[in-house]
Amino acid sequence: METVWFFIIAAMLAVYVVLDGFDFGAGILHLFVAKNEGERRTVINAIGPFWDGNEVWLLAGGGVLVFAFPKAYAVGFSGFYLPLIMALWLLILRGISIEFRGLETNALWRSFWDGAFFFSSSLMAIILGAALGNVIRGVPIGETGYFSGPLFTDFRVSENPGVLDWYTVTVGVFALVVLTLHGALFLSYKTSGEVQKRSQSLCLPLWFVMVLVGVLTTIATAQVRPDLYRNLLGRPWTWVLAFGVIVSTVLIPLFVVRKRDLLAFLSSAGFIVCMLAATAAGLYPTMLTSTINREFDLTIHNAAAGPLSLKVGIIWWGIAIVLAVFYFVHLFRAFKGKVSPETDIYSH
Amino acid sequence: MDALTWGRFQFGFLATYHYIFPQLTMGLALLIVVLKILALRKGDDAYNRAAQFWARIFAINFVVGVVTGIPLEFQFGTNWARFSTYSGGVIGLTLALEGLFAFFAESAFLGLFLFGEKRLSAKGHLFAAVMVFLGAWLSGYFIIATNAFMQYPVGYRMTSENTLQLADMWLYLFNPWAIWQYLHNMNASVVTASFVMSAVGAFYLLSNRFEKQGKIFLKVGVISGFISCVGLLFPTGDFHGKMVAKYQPAALAAMEGKFETGDKAELAIIGQPDVVNRRLENPIYVPYVLSYLAYGSFGAVVKGLNDFPEDEIPDNIELLYYAYHIMVGLGTIFILLMLISGIKLWRNTLFQSRAMLWILMCAFPFPYIANSMGWLVAELGRQPWLIYGLFRTSEGNSELVSGGNIAFSSLGFMGMYLVIGVLFLYLIGKVIAKGPEEAMIIGGGA
C-alpha cells in the first residue's frame, strides 16, 4: 500500500511539473519571444485559462503527501523552512503578475508585471530543480528525526550540506533549461506569427543545451548518489524509463525540424515524466535520505499514515483523479487551437 | 517573542488575511449562480451583465484568495511539524480531499467560466458557474471538517508511536461539530457577499449611475442578506453555541466572561473582563438567558472559569471575550439592518430612501469584521489545545525552526500582503468605477 502511494505522489508531482512547467517556460521566454504588447498578450493568453489549474496539482500533491506520509511532509517542510517560504513568495508573485498585468493599461504597469513574471518563473524553475536535487542528494536528518537545512554553506556536498550546493544548483540549472525548452515547445504549438517563429527557432539550441547539461547532471548524480544507479540497474523494469528518456530526447528535435509542434511538446512532456519516474524508482523506498546516517532515512515504511487511511484514500483518490482528468481534458479542449491577441481574455 | 508565539502570530495573521477573500468568493459564487439563473429565466441581458460584473470582482478575489491560501497548506509542515507528524494521518484526509475534489473542480471550471462565455452555450456557462460554486463550497467544507477535528476530535485511534490514525472515516468526515460550524460559516460568507453586493448597488443608485444594475444588486443583496443573517443566528449560531457549551465549557465561560459557577446563569450583554481580579466590570446582565441558550433550561448550571484547572482555560480571555461580543453584537445589528431594508424593498421605497442607501453602502466592512471575530473565537476558544483535550499548542511547533526564522518570514509576508492589499483595493475600486455596462465591451480595447 505504501508503495502505491509513493508512486501516486511521484506521478502527481510529475504531472505538476509537466503542466506548470509549460507556463513556467512561457514566463521565462515571454520577454524574448514576445516583443510588443500584442505578442506579450498572446503569450499570457496562451497560459491564462490553464496556469491556475496547473498549480492545483502541486497543492493536491501536497495534500496527498500530508495524508499518506505525514511524517515525510512534516520533516521535509520544516527542514526546508526558508527556501520553501521564499518559493511561496515567488508563487504568490507569479500568480499576481499573470492576473494583475492586464487590469491596467499603463505601459509601465505592464512592464513591471512582465519583469516580475519572468523573475518569478525562472527562479521557481531553478528552485524546483534544486528541491529535486536535495531529495536525491539527501538531507542531514539526525536522531530527532527532523533536520534544519541552511540555505547554503560552502557549496560542497558534505554530511551537513546547505540547500544550495554545487550539485543541487546543477540540477536547478538543468530544470531551468528543461522547462524553458518545454515552454518554447508549448508556445510553438499554441501561438502563431512572430511569437511562434521565435519560439521555434529557440527549440533546437535549447535542446542542445539541455542534452549537454543533462549529461553533466547525470554524471554528477552518479558521483553524489551512486546507489541510485545501482538501484535502477537492479530493477530491470525501470529500464523502460531509461529507454523512454532516450527515445523522447531523440524525438524532440526530429519533430521540431518537421514542425510537428504538438508531438514535439508531447515528447518533451514524456521526457520530463520518464526522467522524474526514473528518479523516483531509483530512490524507492526511501523518501528522504539522511546524509548523517542511513539509519535515519525516511522511508515509505516509517513515514506512512495508518492502514485505514491508506486504504480508503485509494478509493477517494481514484474517483477524484478520474474526475480531474475529465475536467482537464474538457478545459484543454474548450481552449484548444492557437491563441492570438484578439482572443483577449484578460481585457476585462 | 519565542518561536511558538511567532508561529501562532504568523498562522493567525496568514489565516485572517487569507479569509478576507474566500468569504466573499464563497458567498458570491452562490449569488452569481442566482444571477445566472435569473438571467436565463427572465431572458433579460441586464442580469447577465450583472453576473459578468460580479465575475470580475470574483476573479480578482479568487486570485488573491488562491495565492494567500497556498502558504496555509505549507504552514502545517513548515511551522507545525510536530503537529503534522502527530495528526497528519487523520487531518491529511480532508486536506487531500480538498485538493483532489474541490480545487480541481474550482480551478478548471473557473477557467471555463471566466474565459469561456463566448465558447459555451448559456446553459453550459451556467453549469460552469454551478461547478465553481460547488468547488468553492466543498473546499470550505473540507477545511472546516479539518478545523472541527481540532475542536472536537472524533473518528481517530492512537497508535503505539503516539500519533493519530484514522479509525472511522465517516465519523471524521461528518463530525457533528463540522456540520454546525460549516453551516454557520457559510451563512456568514453569504452575509459578506450580500452586504458587498448591496453596497455596490447602493453606491450606483446614490451616484445616479447604472441604476438598472444597482437595483438588481440591491434586490438580490438584501433578500439573500436577510435570509443569511437570520440563518446565522438560528439555527446555525444557536446549535453551534450549544456544541461549544457541551464540548468546550471552558471556552464558553471565557467567551461570556463568566468566572463564578452558578445556575440560572445570566448573559452578559456588555462588560469588561478583569482577569486579574477574576470578575466582569460594568456588566449589563440578562438573567437566566445564558443557562437557557447553552443548555436549553433556565436553571442549568454553567461552570465558571474559576472551577477549571489553570492549564485548561484559554490563555487570552480578554480577546476571546471581546471577539465573541463583537461578533454577536454585529450579527444582531445585521439582522435589524436587513430586516428594515427588506421591508423597504417590499414596499418599494428602498431605492428612494437615501438614508438607507447610505447605511447599506457603508455597512459592507462589518461582516468582514464579524467573520474575523468569529474565527478568533473558534481558535482562541480552543486554546491551550491544538487538538482539544488531546494535544497542546505548545507541543505542536517545529522544534528546529527558530523564532528568528519565523519573524523573518512573518515580516516578509506582511510586507508582501500589504502591497497586495493596496493593489487589490485599487483594482476592485477600478472595476466598480467602470461599472457593469462596460462589461459588454469584452474584446475591444485594452
Side-chain angles (χ1 to χ4, degrees):
Chain A
M1 215 54 182
E2 289 96 342
T3 305
V4 174
W5 281 105
F6 177 83
F7 285 103
I8 281 180
I9 289 171
M12 288 183 78
L13 292 179
V15 171
Y16 165 70
V17 176
V18 166
L19 290 179
D20 221 14
F22 74 69
D23 57 60
F24 281 136
I28 298 164
L29 283 170
H30 79 297
L31 288 184
F32 311 106
V33 299
K35 303 286 186 194
N36 58 39
E37 177 55 28
E39 292 172 1
R40 291 269 161 86
R41 272 223 312 265
T42 308
V43 174
I44 303 262
N45 287 349
I47 61 168
F50 308 119
W51 77 268
D52 181 51
N54 295 345
E55 210 141 90
V56 167
W57 284 89
L58 178 66
L59 278 178
V64 171
L65 180 65
V66 189
F67 155 76
F69 301 103
K71 176 89 185 180
Y73 167 81
V75 172
F77 277 48
S78 64
F80 294 129
Y81 186 83
L82 283 179
L84 271 177
I85 295 287
M86 290 174 185
L88 277 175
W89 293 344
L90 289 173
L91 280 178
I92 294 174
L93 182 66
R94 211 172 151 269
I96 297 286
S97 316
I98 301 173
E99 296 292 329
F100 281 8
R101 177 187 190 280
L103 297 174
E104 182 64 80
T105 45
N106 187 316
L108 274 183
W109 167 278
R110 295 203 163 169
S111 302
F112 174 79
W113 292 117
D114 282 341
F117 184 35
F118 166 75
F119 172 76
S120 52
S121 299
S122 338
L123 258 181
M124 268 311 291
I126 296 175
I127 285 179
L128 282 181
L132 181 67
N134 273 275
V135 172
I136 297 173
R137 180 205 60 198
V139 290
I141 300 175
E143 263 170 279
T144 58
Y146 293 94
F147 74 97
S148 169
L151 206 47
F152 49 82
T153 51
D154 54 3
F155 283 90
R156 272 189 302 202
V157 178
S158 60
E159 196 178 80
N160 274 305
V163 170
L164 297 178
D165 60 24
W166 69 263
Y167 174 69
T168 59
V169 171
T170 309
V171 184
V173 171
F174 182 49
L176 177 71
V177 181
V178 170
L179 296 186
T180 310
L181 173 63
H182 195 53
L185 293 166
F186 177 75
L187 289 177
S188 306
Y189 166 59
K190 263 320 237 192
T191 61
S192 53
E194 283 298 309
V195 179
Q196 187 192 28
K197 244 185 255 166
R198 293 196 197 107
S199 305
Q200 280 173 334
S201 68
L202 283 174
C203 289
L204 285 183
L206 280 169
W207 179 82
F208 277 114
V209 180
M210 182 187 87
V211 172
L212 192 72
V213 183
V215 170
L216 281 177
T217 312
T218 313
I219 296 169
T221 306
Q223 296 293 316
V224 173
R225 281 292 302 276
D227 56 321
L228 195 90
Y229 292 103
R230 279 200 295 277
N231 282 344
L232 286 174
L233 286 174
R235 296 170 185 150
W237 56 272
T238 63
W239 299 354
V240 177
L241 299 171
F243 185 68
V245 169
I246 295 166
V247 170
S248 49
T249 312
V250 176
L251 283 179
I252 295 172
L254 290 181
F255 287 130
V256 168
V257 171
R258 295 187 185 179
K259 302 245 186 280
R260 304 292 294 271
D261 298 321
L262 178 61
L263 288 173
F265 173 69
L266 292 177
S267 306
S268 163
F271 173 76
I272 294 172
V273 168
C274 289
M275 206 64 187
L276 291 174
T279 312
L283 290 171
Y284 173 85
T286 310
M287 301 195 79
L288 266 181
T289 312
S290 169
T291 50
I292 294 178
N293 187 333
R294 294 301 297 264
E295 271 173 43
F296 304 136
D297 279 5
L298 267 185
T299 67
I300 60 165
H301 304 294
N302 64 23
L308 178 70
S309 288
L310 296 183
K311 209 171 74 192
V312 300
I314 283 283
I315 300 165
W316 286 119
W317 186 84
I319 301 170
I321 227 62
V322 170
L323 281 173
V325 168
F326 171 75
Y327 302 151
F328 276 81
V329 169
H330 194 56
L331 177 71
F332 279 84
R333 277 184 49 166
F335 294 99
K336 67 168 185 241
K338 306 259 178 202
V339 290
S340 66
E342 287 73 45
T343 316
D344 213 13
I345 50 179
Y346 274 91
S347 68
H348 329 297
Chain B
M1 296 207 284
D2 60 355
L4 182 67
T5 316
W6 268 115
R8 285 182 64 182
F9 167 78
Q10 185 176 78
F11 195 89
F13 170 73
L14 293 179
T16 309
Y17 190 94
H18 167 67
Y19 196 59
I20 292 171
F21 307 98
Q23 64 177 297
L24 184 72
T25 48
M26 289 189 296
L28 258 189
L30 178 66
L31 298 187
I32 289 176
V33 169
V34 170
L35 287 171
K36 290 294 295 182
I37 291 174
L38 288 171
L40 259 181
R41 289 187 47 178
K42 301 201 179 213
D44 184 347
D45 195 50
Y47 285 92
N48 234 340
R49 268 177 279 153
Q52 275 172 1
F53 171 80
W54 286 106
R56 276 182 287 160
I57 304 254
F58 182 98
I60 299 174
N61 267 277
F62 185 83
V63 169
V64 184
V66 169
V67 296
T68 55
I70 300 173
L72 287 175
E73 184 182 310
F74 281 58
Q75 285 277 302
F76 292 119
T78 52
N79 291 13
W80 303 96
R82 286 188 293 165
F83 164 68
S84 297
T85 304
Y86 180 75
S87 67
V90 179
I91 63 164
L93 179 68
T94 33
L95 294 178
L97 289 180
E98 187 194 19
L100 290 170
F101 282 95
F103 288 162
F104 276 138
E106 209 177 356
S107 61
F109 283 97
L110 186 68
L112 281 171
F113 178 69
L114 291 180
F115 307 136
E117 185 150 15
K118 277 184 281 183
R119 294 177 183 231
L120 301 167
S121 66
K123 286 211 174 120
H125 199 238
L126 171 65
F127 177 71
V130 170
M131 287 303 290
V132 171
F133 157 71
L134 284 180
W137 280 51
L138 203 56
S139 167
Y141 187 77
F142 288 129
I143 286 307
I144 291 206
T146 313
N147 187 261
F149 178 78
M150 295 160 71
Q151 304 284 355
Y152 175 52
V154 290
Y156 67 90
R157 180 175 50 220
M158 192 81 77
T159 66
S160 53
E161 288 137 14
N162 196 31
T163 57
L164 300 185
Q165 246 181 31
L166 195 62
D168 184 336
M169 179 187 64
W170 297 110
L171 186 58
Y172 171 68
L173 284 181
F174 297 104
N175 186 342
W177 188 294
I179 291 171
W180 287 114
Q181 191 183 356
Y182 178 66
L183 294 175
H184 190 60
N185 186 75
M186 297 321 274
N187 258 299
S189 70
V190 177
V191 169
T192 300
S194 306
F195 271 69
V196 170
M197 194 174 272
S198 310
V200 175
F203 169 67
Y204 286 152
L205 287 194
L206 285 171
S207 51
N208 299 319
R209 296 164 66 219
F210 316 113
E211 288 179 27
K212 186 167 184 194
Q213 310 286 346
K215 286 177 184 170
I216 294 176
F217 296 169
L218 273 168
K219 226 185 288 175
V220 174
V222 167
I223 293 172
S224 62
F226 177 69
I227 298 170
S228 51
C229 282
V230 173
L232 212 48
L233 177 72
F234 189 86
T236 65
D238 183 49
F239 278 88
H240 191 18
K242 287 192 164 68
M243 306 234 32
V244 174
K246 193 167 169 192
Y247 298 115
Q248 293 188 353
L252 178 81
M255 279 150 68
E256 293 290 351
K258 194 159 173 49
F259 293 95
E260 303 286 339
T261 302
D263 59 352
K264 299 171 192 153
E266 64 287 342
L267 185 77
I269 302 290
I270 276 180
Q272 298 105 41
D274 179 347
V275 177
V276 179
N277 298 312
R278 307 193 79 78
R279 62 197 203 89
L280 199 64
E281 303 231 35
N282 313 317
I284 298 176
Y285 285 126
V286 189
Y288 300 106
V289 173
L290 180 58
S291 286
Y292 181 74
L293 285 179
Y295 300 106
S297 143
F298 290 107
V301 175
V302 176
K303 203 170 166 188
L305 286 169
N306 291 343
D307 290 313
F308 289 97
E310 201 50 39
D311 64 347
E312 282 179 22
I313 59 173
D315 54 8
N316 200 335
I317 293 167
E318 296 96 327
L319 190 55
L320 180 53
Y321 171 89
Y322 285 118
Y324 175 68
H325 279 77
I326 291 169
M327 172 184 82
V328 172
L330 284 177
T332 314
I333 295 170
F334 295 163
I335 296 179
L336 286 175
L337 177 63
M338 281 299 169
L339 180 68
I340 299 169
S341 308
I343 292 172
K344 281 181 178 281
L345 185 71
W346 181 262
R347 291 191 177 157
N348 259 327
T349 55
L350 179 64
F351 302 145
Q352 291 79 44
S353 166
R354 290 186 71 84
M356 205 62 218
L357 293 178
W358 267 102
I359 295 175
L360 282 175
M361 185 173 83
C362 298
F364 79 88
F366 293 97
Y368 285 104
I369 296 172
N371 285 352
S372 303
M373 292 300 140
W375 272 106
L376 263 183
V377 172
E379 299 300 90
L380 288 174
R382 200 187 60 224
Q383 301 300 331
W385 304 99
L386 231 173
I387 304 175
Y388 202 82
L390 274 184
F391 189 75
R392 286 180 183 274
T393 307
S394 54
E395 303 166 316
N397 61 328
S398 306
E399 250 171 320
L400 297 179
V401 176
S402 69
N405 272 346
I406 309 176
F408 167 74
S409 61
S410 298
L411 290 173
F413 276 117
M414 288 161 80
M416 192 147 198
Y417 281 12
L418 180 70
V419 175
I420 292 175
V422 171
L423 289 172
F424 169 80
L425 288 176
Y426 167 72
L427 292 169
I428 290 287
K430 223 182 99 161
V431 172
I432 292 174
K434 239 177 148 187
E437 301 291 333
E438 301 280 323
M440 281 305 287
I441 320 173
I442 281 187

